[in-house]
Each structure stands twice: as C-alpha cells, then as structure tokens.
Amino acid sequence: LVTGATGQVGRRLLVALQSSGAKVTLLSRDARKARNSHPSDDFNIIQADLTAPDTLSGACVGIDTVFHLAYDPDTKGDEVIGEDQKHFDVTLTSIRYLISEVKSSGVRQIIFASSVRGTADDIAQNSYTRVMRKAEDLLLDSAGDSSLMMSILRFPVIYGSVEHGSVARMLAAIDGRRYLPISEFINCRSMIHCDDAARALLMAASSGGLKGKVFTVTDGESYSARRLYCSVKMALGKPLPAWNFFESVLQVMAYISDGRSKYVKHPLPFNSKVLDELRGSVEYDGSGFARERAFERDYNLESALPVMVEVYRRKQDRSTRTNNR
C-alpha cells in the first residue's frame, strides 16, 4: 500500500514497485485524480482520507508493507500549528489512524518517508519540525510493543521534478530572469533525486526491513547556492553573467526590502529571510544508509538537470500552444 502516490517520489516509487512485480494498492483522497496520474490497470486504488478513520476501514487487509509518503504540499515550514491545522492533521493525526488500521490488519512493516527537518538540530525552531519529530516518535513507539517492523528515511531537498520543489522553482526563476546572479557563499546543502529516493524506500523494505532504524538519505554531494545557480544556468544553455551580487550587497538589498515591507504591509520577494535561506548551510550525512544497504545514487544535480530542462521546455511548449488556441 502506498500513500502519497501522486507526489514526485510516490510516482517514481510506484514505477519501481511495478517493475519489481509487487501487487500495489494506492490510497488516495481522490480516486479519479489518482487514476489519471497512474492510468495503468496494474494498480488497485482505494479512495480514503487518512484524517477520517471511518474511510480507512479495511484498507490494509491483505497488505504486507505500507509505504507512507502522504504529506500536505501546501505547508510552509515556518508556520505555527495554530495557523496550519491541515499540516497537523495530515502529518500527525493521520499517522495515528493509519497505525491503528495497520495493526488490526496484520501488516508486517511500514516505511515512513520523513524529512531532515525533523532532526534534533532543527527540532526547536518551528512547529513544522516538532510535528515531524512527533510523527516519527509515534511510529517508532507503536512498533516497539508489537511485531510490526518500522523504518524511517529522512530526505533533504528532493529534485528531479519540474512541477514540485525548490529546484523546479529555481529553474523557472532563472529561465525567467527573476533570479539574482550570486557569488559564492561557501555554504553546503544536501539533496537527492526523486528516483534515488524511491529506490532507497524499496531498499529499506527489502531483506526483512530496517527494524526500527532511522536513516538520512542523500546523493552524497554538497551543493552551494552558487553551484546550484551555475548548474541550472548551464543546463538552460544560458551564459553566466560577467558580474555577480556579493553577499554584502545582497545584505544591503535585503535590509532595504525589509524596511519597505513595513509600509506595503507584506514581505517583498527578496528580504532578509530569503537571504538567510540562500546563504544557509543544510548539510546532512547519508553514509549510514549507504553502508547499511550498499546504496549508491544514480544521479547528482548536474546529471539530472538536462532531463529536467527537456521536460520543462516541453511543458512550456504545451502551455504556449494551449494559450494560442
């Protein structure tokens, strides 16, 4: 059983499961949308809402393994739970209901796709990270008093899709000349391709599972903001500018933008928060899972970008033809 099957990792996981010969069931709030996303008749689709326990009854009957990937794509990491009840429901409340159904149906193992935002270093920063950690703890505690095998994979920024994620937004912004040419900040970021993330989930479920272990999975690279910018520019076939904005200049621009925001009553596109995210380091060690499962990535950003750009251009062409009609 796969939840969150219409997301960028969920889609790739279904393809991988199908290739492995597994019998797959999708759980979705919208069965029609799920069928449109996955037109193959090889998938069984159950329409159910993870936040409504009555709709989950019987969903896990005959299921050996559950891959739990469902999340609220509209959640912003700095929102408080009082302003983001949907995130609380989808991330935490739904897990309680899913665990109850899993246990009553005799499921052997559950694999949870979590986020590096739930690590100890981030746990006190905002409610998003606290709820992610509570969800992990709830899953691990539930497995501790039963025969249910539980494993959690934490993923950093995921790339490979041109419809979802920060890299997709960066690609569109650079192509539309809405991204500042930046100098090197000497910062490091961890990332992973959606295909590699899906393959890691499969590997976590194989050979008896990981039995209560929590791992971070990355592509093993460290990406600076400057490297990201240059790689995307090159993949788009655009020359690098002869000049760049240095950090000190960006700091002044952010300071001015913060001041103007007080008068227009809303944040401007470039501000101190955006600058902090741009120059911040969010690097994680994925070597533990690599050793445990002999995991090797198939992609890094530079090898994935040509395909992303090709898909992005096709999507642009379709949009242009539609608008011209």
Side-chain angles (χ1 to χ4, degrees), residues 10-22 195 198-199 202:
R11 292 169 185 253
R12 311 302 176 98
L13 177 61
L14 289 179
V15 173
L17 285 167
Q18 187 178 26
S19 298
S20 71
D195 281 353
R199 190 162 51 86
L202 274 182

Side-chain angles (χ1 to χ4, degrees), residues 5-308:
T6 56
Q8 61 172 324
V9 176
R11 292 169 185 253
R12 311 302 176 98
L13 177 61
L14 289 179
V15 173
L17 285 167
Q18 187 178 26
S19 298
S20 71
K23 183 179 179 181
V24 184
T25 296
L26 283 61
L27 191 149
S28 175
R29 287 177 297 177
D30 188 336
R32 179 177 297 180
K33 178 182 177 182
R35 181 58 71 189
N36 289 338
S37 297
H38 308 287
S40 172
D41 292 333
D42 294 338
F43 302 119
N44 180 38
I45 297 179
I46 295 177
Q47 182 162 306
D49 187 341
L50 285 167
T51 65
D54 292 344
T55 68
L56 288 173
S57 179
C60 294
V61 173
I63 298 297
D64 174 83
T65 300
V66 171
F67 292 93
H68 184 42
L69 283 67
Y71 71 105
D72 174 19
D74 298 325
T75 296
K76 294 179 174 59
D78 58 352
E79 289 182 315
V80 297
I81 289 304
E83 299 171 348
D84 195 11
Q85 184 64 35
K86 186 179 178 183
H87 169 55
F88 185 93
D89 289 340
V90 174
T91 304
L92 193 58
T93 304
S94 64
I95 285 183
R96 293 193 178 101
Y97 296 147
L98 182 62
I99 288 173
S100 177
E101 185 63 29
V102 160
K103 286 188 173 182
S104 66
S105 302
V107 172
R108 183 175 62 90
Q109 65 174 337
I110 180 169
I111 314 296
F112 178 44
S114 186
S115 166
V116 292
R117 297 289 297 276
T119 59
D121 290 342
D122 292 335
I123 204 67
Q125 291 184 11
N126 57 58
S127 55
Y128 175 86
T129 60
R130 290 195 293 274
V131 171
M132 290 301 295
R133 174 55 67 85
K134 287 180 180 178
E136 291 183 2
D137 291 343
L138 184 62
L139 285 163
L140 293 172
D141 290 345
S142 68
D145 59 358
S146 70
S147 59
L148 178 67
M149 290 193 297
M150 177 72 59
S151 49
I152 297 171
L153 297 189
R154 291 172 175 163
F155 296 114
V157 170
I158 296 174
Y159 59 90
S161 168
V162 298
E163 298 176 349
H164 306 284
S166 58
V167 175
R169 292 192 296 271
M170 184 178 187
L171 191 156
I174 291 176
D175 187 51
R177 299 181 179 180
R178 302 189 306 273
Y179 202 95
L180 298 175
I182 55 178
S183 59
E184 184 61 78
F185 291 154
I186 318 297
N187 60 345
C188 298
R189 301 177 181 184
S190 295
M191 303 169 66
I192 189 169
H193 192 279
C194 51
D195 281 353
D196 286 331
R199 190 162 51 86
L201 289 165
L202 274 182
M203 296 175 76
S206 65
S207 304
L210 295 174
K211 300 178 181 177
K213 294 183 179 180
V214 181
F215 286 106
T216 296
V217 188
T218 77
D219 67 7
E221 299 270 355
S222 292
Y223 300 95
S224 68
R226 175 68 179 176
R227 177 179 171 183
L228 287 170
Y229 173 77
C230 292
S231 296
V232 173
K233 288 281 284 189
M234 293 175 65
L236 286 167
K238 296 179 178 293
L240 293 175
W243 55 277
N244 303 301
F245 282 98
F246 289 94
E247 185 173 1
S248 57
V249 177
L250 292 173
Q251 186 68 65
V252 172
M253 292 173 62
Y255 178 78
I256 295 173
S257 181
D258 292 342
R260 292 183 62 190
S261 296
K262 297 177 181 178
Y263 294 98
V264 297
K265 306 299 184 182
H266 62 81
L268 295 177
F270 186 77
N271 52 47
S272 292
K273 181 182 176 183
V274 172
L275 178 58
D276 288 342
E277 292 175 352
L278 186 65
R279 63 186 176 185
S281 288
V282 280
E283 188 175 21
Y284 299 90
D285 182 8
S287 61
F289 183 77
R291 290 192 300 269
E292 180 82 16
R293 281 291 189 256
F295 173 78
E296 295 182 1
R297 61 104 193 275
D298 285 336
Y299 299 92
N300 69 357
L301 183 66
E302 284 78 11
S303 66
L305 275 171
V307 176
M308 292 180 65

